[in-house]
Amino acid sequence: MLNEKNIKLGKVRSSIRELYEYAKKRKAEIGEENVYDFSLGNPSVPAPEAVREALCDLTQNCDPVELHGYTSAQGDALSRKTVADNLNKRFATRLTQDCIYMTCGASASLTITLNAILNAGDEVVTFAPFFPEYRVFTEHTGAKLVAVDGDPQTFQIDFNKLEKALNGRTKAVLINSPNNPSGVVYTEECIKKLSEILKRFSASRGEPVYLISDEPYRELVYDGVKVPFVMNYYERSVVCYSFSKCLSLPGERIGYIAVNNVMEEWSEVYAGICGAGRALGFVCAPSLFQKLIVKVCGEVSDISVYKSNRDRLCSALRGYGYTVVKPDGAFYLFVKALESSAKSFAERAKTYGLLLVAGDDFGCNGYVRIAYCVPADMIERSLPAFEALARSYKK
Ligand code: PLP
């Protein structure tokens, strides 16, 4: 008998991917300019010029056998050292290359880390709204994802609800800031409070809880907002990172895991990560892009268009009567649907050419996600459709 669980997963696409496929079909039918596709978090700005230059240099001047050959399973030593040095410089940590594992993006970082830490029957607490793949990644290990609702006014963590969710089976807490889909950035106060609760809880039951921080949007913040670096607040932390968004390289599949070497058992956790990477076949991340990271780590794409898209959309949508929490980071708006069912709201939006992802899979009913990583002129052209959609609910 085949593996029914995987067959089911393979047959049902994520709602984001489903809408993205629909967008492609619809564009072919009625013309690209008539479809306002806000489905996918695909960066709309090009990679920094330094990326193009480094790629040219590598392909022209590197020995091709070395350039395209295998690296160490955990990643090339120089790539890992570059990542560690970059984090140390920015966040005053003391990481070494031995705490870094190079991966194929944040998805691989997460699946490896979850497999390294979890046993069947464990629980992972996360905060709604959350990236829908967390459920798939967690449940595939035999563990359970427990979603705690965030504060709907701010989408920050609701600590009363968190305390109620922690129990003897809780092995890890998974956070994502800047957040997909809300765009919220957890404040320093929020991270401090979270750390205090987890320390107290770990001490009271004599077993650690790990904090896994999924950070593919770390550099995508606006108006000088700072993203607190979890390792500075909580010892038992693991950072899952991706260069997909900051360097606009989502198709190239490059990222890393960083294990906080302040925790007592860090080398065991790192060994578990190497083991899980091996078992899952996630060894030796793409060699060309590991070498690229050595040259461009620290660069960020020009994100000014995301900020202007955010500002324009937020003020226009509020003007039309939508409820929007203005996000500090990432490139998503999480907007309250104008009826109780987000799915039927998103269906009605489709008739206006607006492709919005219903929030149910993000663990938050009654909202839709708008990925505003699109050209500015599309935002402008889509505004009359948003206005007409809102008006249709006033009739
Ligand atoms: N985590 C979050 C919160 C995301 O939004 C994404 C992608 O959009 C991922 C993980 C996966 O990132 P990657 O494409 O680097 O695997």
Side-chain angles (χ1 to χ4, degrees), residues 309-367:
N309 283 356
R310 176 200 67 162
D311 293 345
R312 183 75 180 111
L313 259 184
C314 271
S315 65
L317 294 193
R318 280 179 180 158
Y320 307 147
Y322 294 92
T323 307
V324 184
V325 176
K326 193 173 182 184
D328 285 323
F331 38 48
Y332 306 104
L333 275 189
F334 208 47
V335 178
K336 211 160 179 5
L338 297 175
E339 59 179 296
S340 57
S341 161
K343 279 195 176 140
S344 63
F345 176 70
E347 280 307 309
R348 191 187 294 199
K350 271 184 186 167
T351 64
Y352 292 83
L354 295 165
L355 305 192
L356 320 176
V357 183
D360 305 33
D361 289 353
F362 298 93
C364 208
N365 296 342
Y367 288 81

Side-chain angles (χ1 to χ4, degrees), residues 218-232:
R218 188 195 294 141
E219 291 79 15
L220 272 60
V221 282
Y222 313 111
D223 307 322
V225 164
K226 295 261 179 298
V227 182
F229 193 59
V230 291
M231 289 192 185
N232 292 329

Side-chain angles (χ1 to χ4, degrees), residues 173-241:
V173 170
L174 170 56
I175 60 170
N176 168 224
S177 164
N179 182 269
N180 173 10
S182 70
V184 75
V185 176
Y186 292 152
T187 60
E188 184 179 33
E189 195 193 343
C190 175
I191 296 295
K192 273 188 179 160
K193 182 133 193 225
L194 174 65
S195 306
E196 277 162 25
I197 290 175
L198 297 187
K199 278 179 203 164
R200 199 171 359 102
F201 177 71
S202 299
S204 72
R205 68 163 188 178
E207 234 200 279
V209 172
Y210 294 91
L211 179 60
I212 303 172
S213 181
D214 178 27
E215 308 186 354
Y217 303 97
R218 188 195 294 141
E219 291 79 15
L220 272 60
V221 282
Y222 313 111
D223 307 322
V225 164
K226 295 261 179 298
V227 182
F229 193 59
V230 291
M231 289 192 185
N232 292 329
Y233 302 88
Y234 193 70
E235 284 179 10
R236 289 194 162 88
S237 49
V238 178
V239 167
C240 293
Y241 187 78

Side-chain angles (χ1 to χ4, degrees), residues 41-46 248 305-306 309 331 372-376:
N42 211 2
S44 57
V45 300
S248 306
V305 68
Y306 301 149
N309 283 356
F331 38 48
Y372 61 77
C373 45
V374 297

Side-chain angles (χ1 to χ4, degrees), residues 16-17 40-42 103-110 130-134 137 175-181 214-217 240-245 249-251 253-255 331-332 369:
I16 302 170
R17 289 274 162 192
L40 204 59
N42 211 2
T103 66
C104 300
S107 303
S109 303
L110 286 162
F130 58 88
F131 183 52
E133 295 306 278
Y134 290 172
F137 297 161
I175 60 170
N176 168 224
S177 164
N179 182 269
N180 173 10
D214 178 27
E215 308 186 354
Y217 303 97
C240 293
Y241 187 78
S242 167
F243 293 96
S244 295
K245 316 289 176 170
L249 293 175
R253 316 309 298 138
I254 189 77
F331 38 48
Y332 306 104
R369 187 190 80 169

